[in-house]
PDB file of all heavy atoms in Angstrom:
ATOM      1  N   GLU A   9    -102.985 -51.020  52.767  1.00 95.00           N
ATOM      2  CA  GLU A   9    -102.515 -52.308  53.423  1.00 95.00           C
ATOM      3  C   GLU A   9    -101.346 -52.981  52.623  1.00 95.00           C
ATOM      4  O   GLU A   9    -100.427 -53.466  53.242  1.00 95.00           O
ATOM      5  CB  GLU A   9    -103.700 -53.225  53.445  1.00 95.00           C
ATOM      6  CG  GLU A   9    -103.587 -54.334  54.519  1.00 95.00           C
ATOM      7  CD  GLU A   9    -104.854 -55.077  54.686  1.00 95.00           C
ATOM      8  OE1 GLU A   9    -105.756 -54.508  55.390  1.00 95.00           O
ATOM      9  OE2 GLU A   9    -104.862 -56.259  54.342  1.00 95.00           O
ATOM     10  N   HIS A  39     -78.338 -45.403  61.024  1.00 95.00           N
ATOM     11  CA  HIS A  39     -79.046 -44.448  60.250  1.00 95.00           C
ATOM     12  C   HIS A  39     -78.494 -43.074  60.318  1.00 95.00           C
ATOM     13  O   HIS A  39     -78.460 -42.355  59.336  1.00 95.00           O
ATOM     14  CB  HIS A  39     -80.521 -44.356  60.714  1.00 95.00           C
ATOM     15  CG  HIS A  39     -81.357 -45.596  60.396  1.00 95.00           C
ATOM     16  ND1 HIS A  39     -82.044 -46.336  61.350  1.00 95.00           N
ATOM     17  CD2 HIS A  39     -81.586 -46.144  59.163  1.00 95.00           C
ATOM     18  CE1 HIS A  39     -82.601 -47.261  60.676  1.00 95.00           C
ATOM     19  NE2 HIS A  39     -82.413 -47.183  59.399  1.00 95.00           N
ATOM     20  N   TYR A  78     -67.196 -42.885  65.934  1.00 98.00           N
ATOM     21  CA  TYR A  78     -67.832 -43.175  64.652  1.00 98.00           C
ATOM     22  C   TYR A  78     -67.848 -41.861  63.766  1.00 98.00           C
ATOM     23  O   TYR A  78     -67.897 -41.966  62.522  1.00 98.00           O
ATOM     24  CB  TYR A  78     -69.222 -43.662  64.791  1.00 98.00           C
ATOM     25  CG  TYR A  78     -69.388 -44.990  65.566  1.00 98.00           C
ATOM     26  CD1 TYR A  78     -70.611 -45.347  66.063  1.00 98.00           C
ATOM     27  CD2 TYR A  78     -68.361 -45.792  65.842  1.00 98.00           C
ATOM     28  CE1 TYR A  78     -70.758 -46.462  66.833  1.00 98.00           C
ATOM     29  CE2 TYR A  78     -68.416 -46.982  66.558  1.00 98.00           C
ATOM     30  CZ  TYR A  78     -69.639 -47.268  67.077  1.00 98.00           C
ATOM     31  OH  TYR A  78     -69.820 -48.448  67.846  1.00 98.00           O
ATOM     32  N   ALA A  85     -65.322 -21.876  59.395  1.00 88.00           N
ATOM     33  CA  ALA A  85     -64.629 -20.655  59.721  1.00 88.00           C
ATOM     34  C   ALA A  85     -65.573 -19.481  59.784  1.00 88.00           C
ATOM     35  O   ALA A  85     -65.399 -18.617  60.695  1.00 88.00           O
ATOM     36  CB  ALA A  85     -63.534 -20.330  58.764  1.00 88.00           C
ATOM     37  N   LYS A  88     -68.994 -20.060  63.678  1.00 83.00           N
ATOM     38  CA  LYS A  88     -68.519 -20.795  64.857  1.00 83.00           C
ATOM     39  C   LYS A  88     -69.621 -21.221  65.776  1.00 83.00           C
ATOM     40  O   LYS A  88     -69.380 -21.936  66.788  1.00 83.00           O
ATOM     41  CB  LYS A  88     -67.533 -19.836  65.649  1.00 83.00           C
ATOM     42  CG  LYS A  88     -66.274 -19.517  64.905  1.00 83.00           C
ATOM     43  CD  LYS A  88     -65.410 -20.785  64.642  1.00 83.00           C
ATOM     44  CE  LYS A  88     -64.124 -20.472  64.008  1.00 83.00           C
ATOM     45  NZ  LYS A  88     -63.399 -21.670  63.608  1.00 83.00           N
ATOM     46  N   GLU A  90     -72.611 -22.949  64.775  1.00 92.00           N
ATOM     47  CA  GLU A  90     -73.111 -24.290  64.333  1.00 92.00           C
ATOM     48  C   GLU A  90     -72.090 -25.438  64.318  1.00 92.00           C
ATOM     49  O   GLU A  90     -70.914 -25.222  63.954  1.00 92.00           O
ATOM     50  CB  GLU A  90     -73.675 -24.128  62.908  1.00 92.00           C
ATOM     51  CG  GLU A  90     -74.518 -25.250  62.431  1.00 92.00           C
ATOM     52  CD  GLU A  90     -75.782 -25.413  63.223  1.00 92.00           C
ATOM     53  OE1 GLU A  90     -76.557 -24.493  63.326  1.00 92.00           O
ATOM     54  OE2 GLU A  90     -76.052 -26.528  63.791  1.00 92.00           O
ATOM     55  N   THR A  96     -65.701 -40.679  60.725  1.00 98.00           N
ATOM     56  CA  THR A  96     -64.269 -41.090  60.921  1.00 98.00           C
ATOM     57  C   THR A  96     -64.092 -42.278  60.069  1.00 98.00           C
ATOM     58  O   THR A  96     -64.938 -42.759  59.291  1.00 98.00           O
ATOM     59  CB  THR A  96     -64.137 -41.453  62.381  1.00 98.00           C
ATOM     60  OG1 THR A  96     -64.949 -42.574  62.679  1.00 98.00           O
ATOM     61  CG2 THR A  96     -64.386 -40.324  63.385  1.00 98.00           C
ATOM     62  N   GLN A 108     -73.318 -51.290  50.728  1.00 97.00           N
ATOM     63  CA  GLN A 108     -73.183 -52.536  50.030  1.00 97.00           C
ATOM     64  C   GLN A 108     -74.497 -53.414  50.216  1.00 97.00           C
ATOM     65  O   GLN A 108     -74.892 -54.040  49.312  1.00 97.00           O
ATOM     66  CB  GLN A 108     -71.966 -53.269  50.401  1.00 97.00           C
ATOM     67  CG  GLN A 108     -71.689 -54.552  49.685  1.00 97.00           C
ATOM     68  CD  GLN A 108     -71.601 -54.380  48.189  1.00 97.00           C
ATOM     69  OE1 GLN A 108     -71.044 -53.494  47.639  1.00 97.00           O
ATOM     70  NE2 GLN A 108     -72.299 -55.271  47.440  1.00 97.00           N
ATOM     71  N   ARG A 116     -81.416 -58.022  44.649  1.00 96.00           N
ATOM     72  CA  ARG A 116     -82.318 -59.109  45.008  1.00 96.00           C
ATOM     73  C   ARG A 116     -83.767 -58.825  44.443  1.00 96.00           C
ATOM     74  O   ARG A 116     -84.420 -59.750  43.928  1.00 96.00           O
ATOM     75  CB  ARG A 116     -82.432 -59.237  46.519  1.00 96.00           C
ATOM     76  CG  ARG A 116     -83.412 -60.234  47.039  1.00 96.00           C
ATOM     77  CD  ARG A 116     -83.765 -60.034  48.551  1.00 96.00           C
ATOM     78  NE  ARG A 116     -84.411 -58.771  48.692  1.00 96.00           N
ATOM     79  CZ  ARG A 116     -84.480 -58.096  49.889  1.00 96.00           C
ATOM     80  NH1 ARG A 116     -83.727 -58.477  50.916  1.00 96.00           N
ATOM     81  NH2 ARG A 116     -85.073 -56.940  49.968  1.00 96.00           N
ATOM     82  N   HIS A 142     -99.705 -34.397  51.316  1.00 94.00           N
ATOM     83  CA  HIS A 142    -100.913 -34.466  52.187  1.00 94.00           C
ATOM     84  C   HIS A 142    -100.473 -34.696  53.640  1.00 94.00           C
ATOM     85  O   HIS A 142    -100.952 -34.093  54.632  1.00 94.00           O
ATOM     86  CB  HIS A 142    -101.798 -35.553  51.704  1.00 94.00           C
ATOM     87  CG  HIS A 142    -102.931 -35.897  52.699  1.00 94.00           C
ATOM     88  ND1 HIS A 142    -103.923 -35.044  53.004  1.00 94.00           N
ATOM     89  CD2 HIS A 142    -103.053 -37.021  53.450  1.00 94.00           C
ATOM     90  CE1 HIS A 142    -104.694 -35.715  53.908  1.00 94.00           C
ATOM     91  NE2 HIS A 142    -104.168 -36.860  54.199  1.00 94.00           N
ATOM     92  N   ASN A 151     -99.425 -29.523  64.437  1.00 81.00           N
ATOM     93  CA  ASN A 151     -98.232 -28.955  65.150  1.00 81.00           C
ATOM     94  C   ASN A 151     -97.305 -30.095  65.646  1.00 81.00           C
ATOM     95  O   ASN A 151     -96.825 -30.035  66.786  1.00 81.00           O
ATOM     96  CB  ASN A 151     -98.623 -28.093  66.334  1.00 81.00           C
ATOM     97  CG  ASN A 151     -99.316 -26.809  65.842  1.00 81.00           C
ATOM     98  OD1 ASN A 151     -98.851 -26.163  64.885  1.00 81.00           O
ATOM     99  ND2 ASN A 151    -100.362 -26.379  66.543  1.00 81.00           N
TER     100      ASN A 151
END
Side-chain angles (χ1 to χ4, degrees):
E9 199 168 289
H39 288 125
Y78 301 161
K88 293 295 184 189
E90 192 66 54
T96 61
Q108 183 58 43
R116 174 197 67 204
H142 165 72
N151 293 319

